[in-house]
Amino acid sequence: MAGQPFRGDEGGLIDRERPIAFTFNGERLQGYAGDTLASALLANGIRLVGRSFKYHRPRGIVSAGAEEPNALVQLAVGARTEPNARATQVELFEGLEAESQNCWPGVGFDVGALNGVFSSLFPAGFYYKTFMWPASLWMTYEHWIRKMAGLGRAPVQPDPDRYEHRFAHCDVLVAGGGPAGLAAALAAARSGARVILADEGADFGGALRGLRATIEGRPAMNWVRAAVAELAAMPDVVLLRRATVAGYYDHNSFVVSERPAEHMAVPAPFQARGRLWSVRAKEAVLATGAIERPLVFGNNDRPGVMLASAAQAYANRFAVRPGSRAVVFTNNDSAYEAALDLARAGVSVAAVIDAREDPGPAARRVREAGIESIPGHAVINVQGGRKLKAAEVMAINGDGTACAGGDWRAIPCDLLAVSGGWNPAVHLFSQSRGKLRFDDRIAALVPGESFQRERSAGAARGTFTLRGCLAEGFRAGAVAARAAGFDKAGEPPVPDCDTQAETPLRPLWVVPLPKHTRLKRFVDLQNDVTAEDVALALREGYDNVEHLKRYTTLGMGTDQGRTSNVSGLGILAGLRGKSIPSLGTTTFRPPYTAIPFGTIAGREIGHHFAPTRRSAMHAWHEQAGASFIPAGLWFRPQVYRRPGEGMMDAIYRETKSVRTTVGMIDVSTLGKIDIQGRDAALFLDRVYTNNFRKLPVGKARYGLMLREDGMVFDDGTTTRIGESRYLMTTTTARAGEVMRHLEYCLQVLWPELDAYAVSVTEEWAAIALAGPASRSVLERVVGGVDVSNEGLPYMGYREGTVAEVPARIFRISFSGELAYEINVPADYGAAVWEAIHTAGRSFDIIPYGTEALSILRIEKGHVVSGELNGRTTADDLGFSAFLSKEKDFIGKRSLAREGLWRPDRKQLVGLIPVDKKTRVPRGAQIVEDPDRETPVPMLGEITSQCYSPNLGHPIALGIVAGGRALHGRTLHALSPVTGERVPVTVTPNVFIDPKGERLRG
Amino acid sequence: MAKPAERRSALAEVYSPGTYGAATPDGPGVTLAERRGLTLVHLAGEAATLNEGVRKATGHDLPITPNTVIGDDRGGALWLAPDRWLIVSAREESERLERRLAAGIGSAGAATDVSSGRTVVRIGGANARDLLAKGCPLDLHPRAFAAGHCAQSLIAQVNVLLHAVDESRVDLYVARGFGLTMWEWLTDAAAEFGCRINAPEG
């Protein structure tokens, strides 16, 4: 393991007592606790870290933060591998494994670099151009383009870690924990407001971590530590580290992506690797800082070209020399501090090149430190490939449009620190729909008019002095707290900070090319977009900023153009001879930085993807070997297969048992609604088509409900269980809809009615006992009720006990057999089910599932969702007798439309295959003559079909035009999907016991 | 004749008291206990006409302020919606309370026994509200959801009713059919805080 040749002996926010071993591209290296991967690589002298997206050019570390366009690495191996991690934000931990991306066979020699040689073949929009010419080759191009492009690799194994979601509310959310954010949090929290302060870094301090600033004469980080300690001690302050405020949505809601275990190889047991916070804040303070702009000049992408503030942060925060001999190139004052800090850290700083003619006092300070100051010049090109060798410098003319020529010189260096000015991080502000404004003073976009309840503070609004950041932070925090109702929130006094006088920057969007040169000048390093690409796009007509973005892919990388967007705008404005504000800007969209998929999914994975609704007898069904089928969120037993038994055999066995002996089925999932009140009967009369007012206590009645448009909505039985109390049942599928419909009727249509509807679906476990022996079984467990045909006739209701549990007993049947439905409080459901099953053993009782239920129901011609499809009327289904003529009901008026009574409407019929053998295809169309010329008129469709084990042949239900008049006719069921065609005979829809003698027996 | 049937909660199959999840220095941050055998009656009608009957049957008034509770940690009335309450009692048999309430209110409203239809879990410990905040979008800070308040919301896509019994304890009511799914969610979400499952109450 090599040493750290570029590490200083002292200083920095690192812990030299805690060395950390890691590997990069297989090489074992060492850094210290507190390092990022980028700082540790630089400490080890590694400057070449990746290859570019399109031309595969060698690339180095550009920044020290979230804006990094180049140093994207693949982390870890196996299931925890993560692509596109920014080395500048990856915290170093023991055992970290990182690899360069987008290079083969290695970062030093990359075959894809040939793209650079042939780069004239890959201009802006080349991807779109491959669609056009020659079109036939697109399939070939695509294969290779896909192979060459793309950055990291997605993991292929399941993610082994936990991810969590978390909701939070606060009075003031502060995004960003630099000086302005900390000041805002302090001012707000001291008023008693609930504050959430989130910062993307491992600790608070923001830019102060990388500067040698002082507050009250002491290092600024002392002030930061005191502020964090004060905030941490307050009970209503939440401090989130490694937490990026990634999205700002309507109603001041935010998404924060926290990475609590990102700095560990493996999270602690039960610890989340990622946590997604959904925050609602009454007020927000955006203290998101600013991002330095690079300068655009020839070969400005070479490893060793770095943002000045990043070079400064590596020197100060990590005690790392990012080079041995540096040149600084700037158009503003901030890079002069960087030059001085680099010199102090032991880097030999050769010169500060400044595009401005008169840099003012800053230049004097560097000269005093022995650094050459070269005003009025620009770096026009750099020498070196994988490693920087020299910066070529030339004078530029007054408006920055051409090289003055004549005084070319090359200054040897391995680090070129550049600063093109600063862009406030206005991403969240823009996401909140605030209007951006171009500020000529700093030549950057700043927050303009707010749309939501937020305010920006500090560098995020273009204030770059420490004193200004603290003052704005305190003010913003106090204003936010007062707006959230904490009237006494005040602004603490601003402490003394060292502040230098500033000379205004000189905008320089692109350094002109020397005559007769064709150097690549990169605007967007991640997507390999050059100044020439911008010019080409403009020549091809893409002069709108949104078009330019999409055509060139400028700003569309994972860094979202943090270092390139404004420069691109500046270049476009220059070429068009317009001002930047007149061009408008592209939109900033969430997330600010990528959120892992795991964090978005949270714990809603596996069986928590959707909740499961279980009946009280669920465990019994499981033990009895049932397979389950989802019915909404319920899981219902589908069939109980015996060991070695085939699926269909089991279904037919269950079906036959019900018709010959006795079966029991869990029907707890049917909707049950308790309806009470003096007007309960009147209410039922209005929602049902048939009459309920005359239903006596202790009797059940089938009820039919229509929608307002006259189509059938739902059906079920309703039982009068007391003088002014009814129990309504609904289908499983429509239980929720019916409940909502009833509440709507009661609250909106007829608030004057004294009637109440309460869902009791969950209160009662329901067991249907069906078959010729059902009465004999019931007699063994029932108490206090005579269940003989006289004591409890068909459609009768009694209350008594079953297995000594108070029970509601209904003589109703879905199967068409003698049958009872028993309701007991759900807590007793399992015990009562077991008692009935035990009592039924001597009658060969069997549990049956939804498959057998479905066959029994088709045999009886009952309608369910296939027939109640929202397009069938009561008459279509043969239910016109249920349409009361004596009263009004929902849907009645619509039935006056004569089209709903046309004789050729599709009507419910039964269908039997002519050969009594061939199954009727599911969902088949019904036609009269399948051999006639197309289009063949379609008479109807199959809605339900099965093999009837009780009849010994297949049967089906269907809706057929004028079907009731076609009984006895032969039609054809065609399935265009399967190619089947089956001749079928039209019959009535009830196949078994059409007179209902079994029911009443 | 088989022996009389026994009540069985929706959690009976999985309920297992003990300590689970992360080991934390101050002991489990969350305690969970199912409240079994509660009597729950849904009450509908106008407060003005129902209140006297309710007071006769239960000894306390109906809360009129939305999302508040009148009662104590053994029972009371939870406001659900305009003209809708849930009467909770750990003291008496469900049918008796329904009948006494029905008798008390006469024909003025509707009392419906729903004792079997809910799974009720008492959540305590220093991290009780942190646990709920993992799934519930409501503001559960004691300033917004003080003792004596109740609210209806969603947790993990399931409708829930929450009752802040006091600063540290919250009762969660969920439809019985979702009881097990909610229990699985709660015990999973509580793992990072350390979780003690107490013997069921009642």
Side-chain angles (χ1 to χ4, degrees):
Chain A
M1 194 177 292
Q4 300 180 39
F6 289 85
R7 181 81 71 178
D9 295 333
E10 55 185 26
L13 304 173
I14 49 165
D15 186 352
R16 287 179 177 76
E17 302 298 308
R18 288 172 55 206
I20 288 179
F22 70 103
T23 65
F24 180 68
N25 288 334
E27 189 181 352
R28 287 172 56 76
L29 299 165
Q30 196 186 67
Y32 291 122
D35 262 328
T36 62
L37 176 58
S39 68
L41 289 173
L42 290 170
N44 284 279
I46 294 174
R47 313 242 169 89
L48 170 61
V49 295
R51 288 277 173 167
S52 75
F53 180 66
K54 200 158 98 178
Y55 302 126
H56 291 245
R57 285 167 69 104
R59 290 288 167 81
I61 294 159
V62 169
S63 76
E67 66 272 32
E68 179 60 36
N70 276 353
L72 305 183
V73 295
Q74 185 94 23
L75 287 184
V77 288
R80 288 195 167 86
T81 192
E82 185 183 332
N84 298 339
R86 289 171 292 275
T88 50
Q89 288 189 298
V90 172
E91 292 175 52
L92 204 64
F93 56 80
E94 188 66 33
L96 172 75
E97 294 176 53
E99 283 175 15
S100 297
Q101 297 183 155
N102 205 31
C103 53
W104 182 86
V107 69
F109 173 75
D110 174 17
V111 167
L114 286 171
N115 282 5
V117 177
F118 299 110
S119 64
S120 59
L121 296 177
F122 302 99
F126 88 95
Y127 188 76
Y128 304 109
K129 286 164 183 160
T130 62
F131 295 161
M132 305 302 294
W133 180 86
S136 59
L137 278 181
W138 163 242
M139 301 302 278
T140 313
Y141 291 148
E142 192 201 13
H143 176 75
W144 285 102
I145 292 168
R146 297 250 184 263
K147 196 176 169 77
M148 294 299 289
L151 292 166
R153 299 181 310 274
V156 291
Q157 293 168 40
D159 193 321
D161 294 323
R162 282 177 81 90
Y163 297 88
E164 300 268 5
H165 287 174
R166 178 72 186 252
F167 292 95
H169 300 256
C170 62
D171 297 305
V172 179
L173 171 76
V174 181
L182 285 166
L186 281 174
R190 283 174 186 165
S191 74
R194 291 161 62 191
V195 173
I196 295 176
L197 171 62
D199 190 273
E200 63 185 357
D203 212 339
F204 297 100
L208 292 179
R209 291 174 304 172
L211 297 171
R212 292 168 54 87
T214 60
I215 294 175
E216 301 279 7
R218 287 186 297 277
M221 285 306 287
N222 289 12
W223 180 88
V224 169
R225 286 186 200 103
V228 172
E230 182 183 343
L231 290 166
M234 296 189 192
D236 287 313
V237 173
V238 176
L239 296 177
L240 296 179
R241 295 171 172 86
R242 303 183 177 95
T244 306
V245 182
Y248 191 151
Y249 303 93
D250 284 349
H251 308 292
N252 255 25
S253 61
F254 297 81
V255 160
V256 181
S257 171
E258 188 193 4
R259 302 168 300 277
E262 197 184 53
H263 55 302
M264 306 175 192
V266 177
F270 307 107
Q271 187 189 18
R273 173 173 287 273
R275 187 179 284 117
L276 194 75
W277 292 72
S278 301
V279 179
R280 284 293 286 272
K282 287 197 183 119
E283 299 290 334
V285 175
L286 306 180
T288 45
I291 294 167
E292 196 168 22
R293 288 194 293 254
L295 286 160
V296 180
F297 50 88
N299 291 312
N300 60 333
D301 64 325
R302 293 301 185 202
V305 180
M306 184 182 282
L307 291 170
S309 60
Q312 185 180 19
Y314 288 118
N316 292 334
R317 181 176 160 196
F318 302 104
V320 166
R321 292 184 303 279
S324 301
R325 184 176 158 86
V327 168
V328 177
F329 175 27
T330 186
N331 66 347
N332 69 93
D333 272 10
S334 67
Y336 285 84
E337 288 304 315
L340 293 168
D341 286 359
L342 285 169
R344 209 174 278 119
V347 178
S348 157
V349 182
V352 178
I353 322 292
D354 197 323
R356 296 174 297 184
E357 293 291 342
D358 180 12
R364 204 164 53 238
R365 283 205 307 281
V366 297
R367 279 199 297 272
E368 283 163 10
I371 300 168
E372 187 184 358
S373 165
I374 310 178
H377 279 62
V379 174
I380 48 146
N381 187 21
V382 299
Q383 298 172 4
R386 277 171 278 177
K387 194 170 178 206
L388 191 61
K389 291 190 180 131
E392 298 180 4
V393 176
M394 207 179 253
I396 54 170
N397 67 3
D399 60 6
T401 54
C403 295
D407 64 341
W408 179 94
R409 72 188 263 211
I411 307 175
C413 60
D414 63 354
L415 171 67
L416 177 55
V418 298
S419 178
W422 292 80
N423 290 334
V426 293
H427 305 69
L428 292 176
F429 173 80
S430 175
Q431 288 175 24
S432 80
R433 295 175 65 189
K435 281 209 178 76
L436 295 171
R437 179 174 65 77
F438 192 80
D439 185 343
D440 289 319
R441 182 181 61 88
I442 58 169
L445 296 165
V446 295
E449 197 185 327
S450 286
F451 185 79
Q452 296 202 46
R453 297 176 69 110
E454 52 71 35
R455 69 278 306 139
S456 297
R461 67 186 291 260
T463 300
F464 298 138
T465 64
L466 179 53
R467 195 189 150 74
C469 287
L470 291 172
E472 284 185 12
F474 283 139
R475 192 175 318 127
V479 168
R482 286 197 292 269
F486 295 82
D487 299 337
K488 291 184 187 128
E491 294 168 37
V494 183
D496 280 340
C497 311
D498 45 352
T499 301
Q500 310 282 356
E502 281 220 31
T503 307
L505 99 170
R506 169 185 173 180
L508 181 63
W509 302 117
V510 60
V511 175
L513 284 177
K515 279 184 184 131
H516 314 300
T517 58
R518 291 185 60 182
L519 303 169
K520 276 197 171 24
R521 297 172 296 176
F522 286 90
V523 185
D524 181 335
L525 291 167
Q526 191 175 99
N527 274 354
D528 276 353
V529 180
T530 64
E532 286 64 39
D533 288 327
V534 175
L536 175 67
L538 185 60
R539 284 201 303 278
E540 293 186 351
Y542 299 94
D543 58 353
N544 176 287
V545 55
E546 295 283 357
H547 293 159
L548 177 81
K549 169 181 169 177
R550 282 158 185 81
Y551 193 62
T552 61
T553 72
L554 173 74
M556 289 175 72
T558 62
D559 65 340
Q560 297 189 355
R562 269 184 264 289
T563 54
S564 61
N565 276 342
V566 177
S567 304
L569 271 179
I571 294 171
L572 182 67
L575 291 168
R576 291 186 59 189
K578 295 202 167 190
S579 71
I580 290 178
S582 72
L583 296 181
T585 63
T586 55
T587 315
F588 293 90
R589 295 194 182 85
Y592 174 68
T593 47
I595 302 174
F597 282 129
T599 303
I600 292 168
R603 294 299 285 167
E604 289 177 14
I605 52 171
H607 77 287
H608 282 297
F609 183 69
T612 304
R613 201 173 180 187
R614 298 171 174 92
S615 88
M617 289 81 91
H618 190 91
W620 192 94
H621 303 320
E622 279 178 335
Q623 281 155 20
S627 50
F628 289 87
I629 188 164
L633 294 172
W634 291 104
F635 272 71
R636 301 191 69 182
Q638 184 180 20
V639 59
Y640 303 79
R641 284 164 74 175
R642 290 173 176 168
E645 193 177 28
M647 176 94 166
M648 299 315 291
D649 292 339
I651 293 167
Y652 298 150
R653 170 181 53 76
E654 290 176 7
T655 311
K656 276 196 218 170
S657 290
V658 174
R659 296 246 183 264
T660 54
T661 54
V662 60
M664 61 195 294
I665 183 170
D666 183 351
V667 289
S668 305
T669 60
L670 292 178
K672 295 178 279 294
I673 300 169
D674 185 43
I675 295 169
Q676 297 191 59
R678 282 178 295 240
D679 297 323
L682 177 61
F683 173 57
L684 289 172
D685 261 0
R686 291 184 184 177
V687 295
Y688 275 135
T689 63
N690 47 332
N691 197 313
F692 276 81
R693 237 178 304 186
K694 291 173 190 160
L695 182 71
V697 175
K699 278 286 188 189
R701 179 166 286 174
Y702 176 82
L704 191 68
M705 255 181 230
L706 305 188
R707 301 190 312 214
E708 291 279 7
D709 66 1
M711 298 299 153
V712 174
F713 171 40
D714 198 51
D715 68 347
T717 57
T718 287
T719 307
R720 188 167 186 187
I721 61 176
E723 197 51 47
S724 56
R725 187 170 193 179
Y726 295 79
L727 183 75
M728 175 187 286
T729 66
T730 75
T731 57
T732 300
R734 297 247 163 85
E737 273 177 80
V738 170
M739 186 66 211
R740 195 164 60 228
H741 174 67
L742 298 187
E743 276 293 354
Y744 172 78
C745 294
L746 287 171
Q747 292 186 30
V748 179
L749 303 183
W750 315 308
E752 72 282 3
L753 289 190
D754 182 61
Y756 305 93
V758 179
S759 169
V760 289
T761 306
E762 293 279 359
E763 168 67 11
W764 299 95
I767 303 162
L769 190 61
S774 55
R775 181 178 293 133
S776 308
V777 175
L778 185 56
E779 278 168 346
R780 296 201 165 193
V781 286
V782 78
V785 183
D786 170 11
V787 294
S788 70
N789 205 27
E790 297 71 38
L792 181 54
Y794 179 57
M795 295 306 263
Y797 167 78
R798 295 291 180 273
E799 287 169 19
T801 65
V802 172
E804 297 183 34
V805 172
R808 293 172 166 182
I809 304 166
F810 308 76
R811 172 99 185 263
I812 54 178
S813 176
F814 194 56
S815 57
E817 297 299 321
L818 170 67
Y820 301 86
E821 190 181 308
I822 297 146
N823 288 6
V824 292
D827 278 353
Y828 293 106
V832 171
W833 174 279
E834 284 162 21
I836 295 172
H837 188 253
T838 304
R841 278 213 185 112
S842 48
F843 300 93
D844 296 329
I845 194 167
I846 53 104
Y848 64 102
T850 54
E851 294 292 337
L853 180 75
S854 174
I855 293 176
L856 292 164
R857 149 338 256 183
I858 298 171
E859 288 176 343
K860 285 298 291 180
H862 291 316
V863 292
V864 293
S865 53
E867 293 80 24
L868 304 181
N869 61 12
R871 291 176 298 167
T872 46
T873 66
D875 184 61
D876 295 342
L877 301 172
F879 290 154
S880 49
F882 288 100
L883 303 174
S884 171
K885 296 196 166 56
E886 299 162 18
K887 57 153 191 167
D888 198 5
F889 53 83
I890 288 180
K892 185 169 190 175
R893 256 191 77 184
S894 298
L895 295 180
R897 295 181 292 168
E898 56 189 62
L900 296 191
W901 296 91
R902 284 166 55 134
D904 62 347
R905 283 187 63 81
K906 289 180 185 173
Q907 296 164 340
L908 180 68
V909 294
L911 298 153
I912 298 173
V914 172
D915 67 0
K916 294 215 169 177
K917 278 191 197 124
T918 314
R919 280 280 287 268
V920 182
R922 197 180 293 261
Q925 294 294 319
I926 294 167
V927 302
E928 192 167 12
D929 176 7
D931 297 317
R932 62 161 278 177
E933 206 174 307
T934 55
V936 182
M938 289 182 288
L939 302 181
E941 71 223 39
I942 300 296
T943 53
S944 305
Q945 58 80 39
C946 67
Y947 169 80
S948 165
N950 294 298
L951 295 168
H953 60 76
I955 54 173
L957 297 175
I959 47 174
V960 175
R964 281 201 292 271
L966 299 176
H967 290 179
R969 286 272 296 279
T970 297
L971 299 174
H972 297 267
L974 298 188
S975 171
V977 179
T978 63
E980 292 165 279
R981 74 190 249 186
V982 180
V984 288
T985 307
V986 181
T987 71
N989 61 309
V990 184
F991 298 96
I992 283 187
D993 187 24
K995 289 185 183 154
E997 285 158 356
R998 297 186 189 203
L999 293 174
R1000 296 181 171 80
Chain B
M1 194 74 212
K3 64 179 174 151
E6 282 172 13
R7 288 184 79 156
R8 207 175 299 172
S9 111
L11 310 184
E13 302 291 329
V14 299
Y15 203 91
S16 176
T19 304
Y20 302 89
T24 42
D26 304 329
V30 170
T31 60
L32 299 175
E34 187 186 8
R35 301 190 71 198
R36 291 183 182 165
L38 286 180
T39 291
L40 308 173
V41 178
H42 183 280
L43 200 61
E46 285 172 28
T49 50
L50 296 184
N51 199 48
E52 201 176 318
V54 172
R55 197 185 307 131
K56 250 188 253 168
T58 68
H60 51 71
D61 291 320
L62 288 174
I64 307 303
T65 308
N67 290 335
T68 61
V69 180
I70 293 180
D72 56 30
D73 69 338
R74 303 274 296 150
L78 283 67
W79 188 97
L80 299 180
D83 303 343
R84 298 284 191 283
W85 297 266
L86 185 69
I87 311 292
V88 181
S89 171
R91 297 180 188 89
E92 64 181 316
E93 292 253 322
S94 58
E95 283 215 40
R96 244 180 64 211
L97 183 63
E98 187 197 30
R99 271 201 300 274
R100 290 204 303 141
L101 274 168
I105 63 177
S107 61
T112 308
D113 182 19
V114 291
S115 304
S116 255
R118 304 285 183 277
T119 295
V120 187
V121 179
R122 179 156 286 180
I123 303 168
N127 297 111
R129 290 175 193 236
D130 297 323
L131 166 68
L132 292 168
K134 287 187 175 195
C136 179
L138 293 180
D139 187 356
L140 298 174
H141 189 278
R143 282 187 202 170
F145 190 59
H149 280 69
C150 64
Q152 290 163 92
S153 186
L154 283 177
I155 289 182
Q157 311 169 47
V158 176
N159 288 310
V160 294
L161 165 64
L162 300 175
H163 170 203
V165 180
D166 51 38
E167 280 268 323
S168 64
R169 294 180 301 171
V170 175
D171 281 353
L172 178 154
Y173 296 72
V174 61
R176 192 189 197 284
F178 291 115
L180 183 51
T181 236
M182 181 56 62
W183 182 254
E184 288 169 343
W185 185 89
L186 286 169
T187 50
D188 176 75
E192 73 167 304
F193 306 116
C195 174
R196 191 175 67 239
I197 297 173
N198 291 328
E201 295 176 13

